[in-house]
Amino acid sequence: PTGREKLALALFAPLWYKTKHERVRGAAIQALGNFEGEKVKALLVKAAKDSNKYIRQAAEDLLARVK
């Protein structure tokens, strides 16, 4: 998997997602800021709908900067 794909796994994989490791998931969102493209935006849009408010906010903040 590419770096972007590994970050997506850290953000949405059941191990991290279900156990609510928001630090790992938040770091994955921040790291996505190093990438460009529609796939990254799609991941951020998905994260912006997350049930965790910190994850949503981090994704929304990054989306505002990458547009």
Side-chain angles (χ1 to χ4, degrees), residues 6-23:
K6 289 178 183 179
L7 291 170
L9 286 173
L11 186 54
F12 296 113
L15 171 66
W16 301 114
Y17 187 74
K18 290 185 179 181
T19 57
K20 307 293 186 205
H21 289 310
E22 60 190 41
R23 286 186 179 188

Side-chain angles (χ1 to χ4, degrees), residues 7-62:
L7 291 170
L9 286 173
L11 186 54
F12 296 113
L15 171 66
W16 301 114
Y17 187 74
K18 290 185 179 181
T19 57
K20 307 293 186 205
H21 289 310
E22 60 190 41
R23 286 186 179 188
V24 171
R25 297 178 68 224
I29 290 174
Q30 290 179 351
L32 282 171
N34 295 315
F35 296 90
E36 296 178 352
E38 292 303 315
K39 290 183 180 183
V40 170
K41 287 183 184 178
L43 290 170
L44 293 173
V45 167
K46 182 177 178 180
K49 298 175 185 174
D50 198 89
S51 61
N52 183 298
K53 67 181 180 180
Y54 300 109
I55 300 304
R56 280 194 314 269
Q57 186 63 52
E60 290 168 1
D61 290 348
L62 189 54

